Amino acid sequence: MPDHIRRSNNAAGLSLIVAIFVVETLVLDHRDPMPHTPYVLAVLALVAVASLVACVWWRRTGRA
């Protein structure tokens, strides 16, 4: 498997894992609200978006 495909798959997997953490954080915040939850969600969203961008970027650079 080419290196750019492997990196892209890893980034997509990280994005999926972070999305699961976002859902879990939202459920736990609904059950037991915490004041720092928006910060945790912001960091998780940043990681998810960055990994999706990396996934798309590595897929496109491999085609060129």
Side-chain angles (χ1 to χ4, degrees), residues 25-61:
T25 303
L26 288 172
V27 169
L28 288 175
D29 186 56
H30 181 70
R31 182 176 173 200
D32 185 24
M34 296 280 189
H36 60 276
T37 302
Y39 302 115
V40 172
L41 288 173
V43 169
L44 288 174
L46 183 67
V47 171
V49 169
S51 63
L52 280 177
V53 168
C55 176
V56 170
W57 184 68
W58 276 318
R59 289 271 178 180
R60 287 190 175 261
T61 56

Side-chain angles (χ1 to χ4, degrees), residues 11-31:
L14 178 63
S15 179
L16 180 65
I17 290 169
V18 171
I20 292 170
F21 281 147
V22 166
V23 171
E24 185 176 339
T25 303
L26 288 172
V27 169
L28 288 175
D29 186 56
H30 181 70
R31 182 176 173 200

